[in-house]
Amino acid sequence: MPGRNGTVHRSGAAGRSGTPGIRGILLAGGSGTRLHPLTAVTSKHLLPVYDRPLVHYPLAVLMAAGVREILVVSGPGHLAAYRSLLGDGSRLGVRLEYVVQTAPRGLADALLVAADFIGDQRVALALGDNVFHAPDLAALVRREIARLDGCTLFGSRVPDPHRYGVAALAPDGRLLDLEEKPAVPRSDLAVTGLYLYGNEAVRYAAGLTPSARGELEITDLNRRFLAEGRARLVRMGPGVTWMDAGTPDSLLDAGIFARQAHRRGVPFPTPEEAARFSGFLPPAVGASGKDGSWTGQPVRDDEVLAAGQALP
């Protein structure tokens, strides 16, 4: 059956399979009010960040993690633009599908919109305005997909945690609670816009009660897993740069950072490079084997925190 807000528009691409048992959701909806008047005529996720549209950045993250079937969730009026930009995914060796979220009813609502697409699979949900630059990011996300049991979140320290969902930790590093944009944050560890879920997340999202602002909050969904002892927080280290490019300042900062990374010789990988990295496309002729920001030192196990228990 279709998702509750619309019909999934199916496309297709043949080729090698990616990471088994998981499908990707790329959330590119919302009204983008913080970026008006830029978003009066286009979706914020189509705005440029240095040399490419913003949506290319999280798309490359999903693809580098081996996610090969991806649903783009967009608001009314923008679906044709995303189709024009990304197509059916065949040139990237992936399958892209599209669905309209008719109203901005919260991040967790995207799982209900995508219910038909998700089927009985696990889910990797990426926000279309989030930008990551990290050593071995692809290896980290692949590892977490392999060990996924419930919910896996990725945390990054920020100077303004009141703008985000925030993780509250015990002195020994255990995950205690998750707060949505708290007036007085209990930590500076923000939950980033990359989430991994077991299939039960769709059922849990359907049981959520809308918040005071009338939305199904992703933090409430994550708390459901936390209450069951099945929420994990992966703390990204100091070598990671994460940006929520949803404001004029952060959009500009993301573009400047991308230009600096390019000049330093560690550019953000493109979707095409992500496809080659994952084996969806053959290697480029004369490729060096380097993959931009995916090269670097391995992620340590002590950067992973588990809900309800300390690491051994």
Side-chain angles (χ1 to χ4, degrees):
M1 64 179 181
R4 79 176 195 184
N5 289 336
T7 301
V8 173
H9 300 263
R10 300 194 177 277
S11 307
R16 284 170 283 184
S17 61
T19 302
I22 191 161
R23 289 178 176 161
I25 307 298
L26 184 53
L27 187 53
S31 56
T33 54
R34 294 181 297 173
L35 284 165
H36 279 178
L38 296 175
T39 50
V41 294
T42 189
S43 168
K44 70 175 177 179
H45 310 91
L46 297 173
L47 293 173
V49 173
Y50 186 45
D51 60 349
R52 70 198 70 163
L54 175 55
V55 72
H56 271 197
Y57 292 86
L59 174 62
V61 170
L62 290 176
M63 292 173 57
V67 180
R68 191 149 186 267
E69 296 177 275
I70 300 170
L71 179 70
V72 178
V73 180
S74 176
H78 299 308
L79 205 64
Y82 284 104
R83 281 184 170 278
S84 178
L85 174 67
L86 302 173
D88 66 359
S90 56
R91 68 180 180 84
L92 299 171
V94 300
R95 175 175 290 115
L96 296 179
E97 301 182 10
Y98 300 84
V99 69
V100 171
Q101 185 180 34
T102 57
R105 284 188 281 263
L107 301 184
D109 181 67
L111 294 171
L112 303 183
V113 174
D116 179 53
F117 171 81
I118 294 168
D120 61 357
Q121 304 294 296
R122 298 172 297 164
V123 182
L125 173 64
L127 304 190
D129 59 1
N130 275 220
V131 174
F132 295 87
H133 191 275
D136 275 354
L137 177 61
L140 170 63
V141 180
R142 285 171 180 260
R143 185 183 73 187
E144 292 306 320
I145 290 174
R147 68 192 301 182
L148 177 61
D149 176 21
C151 165
T152 298
L153 310 173
F154 297 86
S156 180
R157 299 199 179 279
V158 296
D160 49 355
H162 61 278
R163 291 182 52 212
Y164 308 101
V166 174
L169 305 178
D172 63 358
R174 290 178 297 115
L175 179 60
L176 294 179
D177 195 11
L178 296 162
E179 305 172 289
E180 180 63 27
K181 298 181 180 178
V184 183
R186 296 167 65 183
S187 81
D188 61 354
L189 191 61
V191 178
T192 70
L194 180 62
Y195 313 86
L196 305 178
Y197 294 114
N199 185 260
E200 64 272 27
V202 178
R203 175 166 49 87
Y204 290 178
L208 294 178
T209 299
S211 66
R213 58 179 183 170
E215 297 187 359
L216 300 183
E217 303 290 353
I218 199 77
T219 297
D220 290 341
L221 175 62
N222 297 336
R223 281 197 189 115
R224 170 70 185 268
F225 285 99
L226 180 61
E228 297 177 352
R230 296 195 304 131
R232 293 167 47 79
L233 179 70
V234 180
R235 187 167 54 189
M236 293 182 167
V240 174
T241 297
W242 165 67
M243 298 181 182
D244 173 357
T247 68
D249 285 341
S250 59
L251 185 70
L252 177 61
D253 289 342
I256 292 172
F257 183 89
R259 183 180 65 177
Q260 292 172 336
H262 180 81
R263 291 178 174 177
R264 293 199 312 265
V266 284
F268 285 87
T270 66
E272 290 80 5
E273 290 166 335
R276 295 189 180 98
F277 180 87
S278 291
F280 303 155
L281 295 177
V285 176
S288 66
K290 294 184 178 181
D291 297 284
S293 68
W294 296 327
T295 61
Q297 298 300 316
V299 177
R300 302 188 310 274
D301 282 341
D302 63 3
E303 292 176 340
V304 179
L305 306 176
Q309 63 180 32
L311 287 176

